[in-house]
Amino acid sequence: MARVIVDVMLKPEILDAQGQAIARALPRLGFSGVSAVRQGKRFEVELDGPADEAALSDVRKMAETLLANTVIEDFTVTVEE
């Protein structure tokens, strides 16, 4: 059994309104020294078998078709040790 992490983030050229709202709220909550925030999504995919190339290829297909909107988002796939 393996766990694969899919991290999804807006592409750098896409405005991250939620990240900006968080960045503006932090000083009001007493946090300083933060110049920017970008918000994303994290998916943890539990596989029945090992995280071999075939399984990772399937997870990439999952990310491309369902987990990420590839027009405005990038994603990375990593195996959790």
Side-chain angles (χ1 to χ4, degrees):
M1 183 177 251
R3 177 178 292 175
V4 179
I5 307 302
V6 180
D7 287 308
V8 180
M9 295 292 293
L10 286 171
K11 291 182 178 182
E13 62 271 17
I14 303 297
L15 175 68
D16 184 354
Q18 289 178 315
Q20 289 179 341
I22 293 166
R24 286 191 305 270
L26 289 173
R28 291 193 304 265
L29 297 171
F31 299 101
S32 61
V34 176
S35 60
V37 175
R38 303 234 358 128
Q39 181 184 342
K41 301 178 277 190
R42 174 185 165 112
F43 298 92
E44 297 182 359
V45 181
E46 298 275 341
L47 301 176
D48 289 333
D52 56 16
E53 278 307 311
L56 291 177
S57 177
D58 283 345
V59 172
R60 285 186 198 95
K61 288 177 190 171
M62 289 176 209
E64 289 172 355
T65 58
L66 178 64
L67 304 179
N69 177 349
T70 57
V71 173
I72 62 170
E73 295 173 318
D74 290 326
F75 66 88
T76 59
V77 175
T78 56
V79 178
E80 188 172 80
E81 304 272 334

